[in-house]
Amino acid sequence: EDADDAVRPPLLKEDKIPSSGSSVLNSCLMKGLMATLLNQRRMSPSQTSRTATCVQSARGVTFLHTELYVFRYREAGKIANLALQGLMLQVRPGAKVLDLCKFGDTVIMQKCSTIYQKKIKGKPVEKGVAFPTCVSVNECVCHNSPLESDTPGEILSEGDMVKLDIGCYVDGYIAVVAHTMVCGNQPSVDRPISGPQADVLHAAHVACEVAQKLLRPGNTNSQVTKAINKVASDFGVNACTGVLSHRLKRFVIDGNKVIILREETDQKVEDSCFELNEVYSIDIVMSTGDGKPKEMQSRTTVFKRSVDKNYMLKMRSSRTLFNEVNAKFPALPFALRALEDERQARMGVVECLKHELIHPFPVLFEKKGDYVAHFKSTVLILPSGPTRITGLKSFEAGSVKTDKILSDEVNAIMSLASKKRKKKNKKKPV
């Protein structure tokens, strides 16, 4: 799982290393770090490892390569948030779900084209859509990303609960985000949402906050799962089964270390501890139903290449699809509409699925009339504390009212500070 951690990305010329201060000591230290990294080729692997772990920056806690990672993750996070904001402005009665999905992907691609335009060692910096835009309405839980050929296309109506899911990557560093909103007139202090709809929105929002605050070195994934389900119990809703929050790595959107949203007898994961400088996508889905979404008649359109599988395909359409996926989407999820020939892709995907060359992201549904809320954010575990780089404000204060009360256990977690407070240097009396 951690093999790619040993491969450090090249230093891009356009990267601006965050300043650690203006003191002479800091300046010398940064120069020393650069010199050390440049001379690593002359050192043995063990010497390089000892140097990397011993030489600290002026803050005394972060390393140069870590700052570069954080910078790239933040770049991807900014673009993902920007695309989400634009997408939210397009959500209105009469809007087509297909148009919204195409809009989200287009914003990401256009914004990515404006950064890192210079090639590095003759190769362009890889950037673009890390997860195709999905727009899931009402009881539809996730992964709804229709094709041009899907007729009649789904159209939004006043009062629909719309879930937006999107992702971006820069130089392989991934940032994902999801948000739930109401189509049409937005809830306000004068026109608040209440009842089960408000309960599920509050539950998903609080669960996101709780999960982020527990992402600290030494804590475990089971602690987060237990806290999330306590939140669901407090609000009288259910966390959805089958939802995993993965550790993100370079070009890896589904790392082996995961947080399961809800454990069942047949759905469990291995216990693991969080570590410093890890990155996680916190994925929260709450439902007023039983929280056991199922596949319906909707076609699966989002897939991901299974990198550990190979097979000599028989059909020409299958080979064409597979070759295009290997060339354009070798590691990250894609939608069939992103391929050149959608009709041929629909034919070829059948054989690829049969031999497990690609992994499907099925469209899932709760029962008709159930309310479903989905929030997702990307969180970095930094020395200063868990840092969220994606995600927008869930809703305006007072616009979503619930009569449910949080338990003491959840309140204790919510009271935790997300960031470590910087100690002020007290001036010595003269």
Side-chain angles (χ1 to χ4, degrees), residues 221-246:
N221 54 354
S222 58
Q223 284 179 264
V224 179
T225 300
K226 181 181 176 183
I228 289 172
N229 283 273
K230 182 60 179 171
V231 171
S233 175
D234 287 350
F235 284 98
V237 299
N238 286 301
C240 287
T241 58
V243 179
L244 298 173
S245 296
H246 289 271

Side-chain angles (χ1 to χ4, degrees), residues 116-136:
Y116 298 138
Q117 296 176 337
K118 297 179 182 178
K119 292 184 178 181
I120 304 298
K121 294 183 179 180
K123 294 183 178 180
V125 177
E126 296 183 57
K127 52 193 185 291
V129 177
F131 195 87
T133 305
C134 297
V135 179
S136 307

Side-chain angles (χ1 to χ4, degrees), residues 125-272:
V125 177
E126 296 183 57
K127 52 193 185 291
V129 177
F131 195 87
T133 305
C134 297
V135 179
S136 307
V137 185
N138 294 329
E139 66 272 8
C140 181
V141 176
C142 57
H143 304 152
N144 185 48
S145 196
L147 306 178
E148 295 275 4
S149 55
D150 289 342
T151 54
E154 188 175 9
I155 297 176
L156 298 184
S157 301
E158 180 73 35
D160 283 344
M161 274 188 80
V162 183
K163 293 163 284 294
L164 310 171
D165 194 355
I166 201 164
C168 172
Y169 74 98
V170 175
D171 193 29
Y173 297 95
I174 302 162
V176 290
V177 63
H179 189 82
T180 301
M181 63 179 294
V182 177
C183 180
N185 292 326
Q186 295 302 297
S188 63
V189 177
D190 297 329
R191 299 190 309 274
I193 291 176
S194 59
Q197 190 177 16
D199 294 340
V200 77
L201 282 168
H202 266 290
H205 164 70
V206 172
C208 266
E209 295 293 321
V210 163
Q212 178 187 339
K213 290 176 182 293
L214 289 176
L215 277 183
R216 299 170 188 272
N219 285 353
T220 65
N221 54 354
S222 58
Q223 284 179 264
V224 179
T225 300
K226 181 181 176 183
I228 289 172
N229 283 273
K230 182 60 179 171
V231 171
S233 175
D234 287 350
F235 284 98
V237 299
N238 286 301
C240 287
T241 58
V243 179
L244 298 173
S245 296
H246 289 271
R247 180 188 173 189
L248 301 175
K249 299 164 72 174
R250 195 178 185 210
F251 290 111
V252 179
I253 200 169
D254 52 358
N256 291 341
K257 291 179 73 172
V258 300
I259 306 165
I260 191 168
L261 192 68
R262 172 177 165 182
E263 280 195 337
E264 296 286 311
T265 53
D266 59 338
Q267 294 183 13
K268 293 186 178 182
V269 299
E270 291 183 6
D271 284 345
S272 61

Side-chain angles (χ1 to χ4, degrees), residues 68-87:
L68 287 174
Y69 285 176
V70 173
F71 182 73
R72 310 255 180 97
Y73 274 118
R74 287 188 185 277
E75 284 287 292
K78 287 178 184 177
I79 296 174
N81 281 337
L82 179 68
L84 178 60
Q85 288 174 325
L87 202 54

Side-chain angles (χ1 to χ4, degrees), residues 261-314:
L261 192 68
R262 172 177 165 182
E263 280 195 337
E264 296 286 311
T265 53
D266 59 338
Q267 294 183 13
K268 293 186 178 182
V269 299
E270 291 183 6
D271 284 345
S272 61
C273 288
F274 305 124
E275 297 177 23
L276 192 63
N277 296 327
E278 287 184 334
V279 183
Y280 285 85
S281 63
I282 299 301
D283 201 351
I284 305 294
V285 186
M286 295 287 185
S287 170
T288 57
D290 60 8
K292 297 181 178 180
K294 298 176 178 63
E295 290 186 56
M296 303 288 277
Q297 295 180 346
S298 293
R299 183 199 313 273
T300 298
T301 61
V302 179
F303 302 90
K304 176 182 169 293
R305 167 78 166 96
S306 299
V307 295
D308 58 338
K309 300 288 184 179
N310 284 291
Y311 179 79
M312 293 296 292
L313 295 164
K314 305 295 188 296

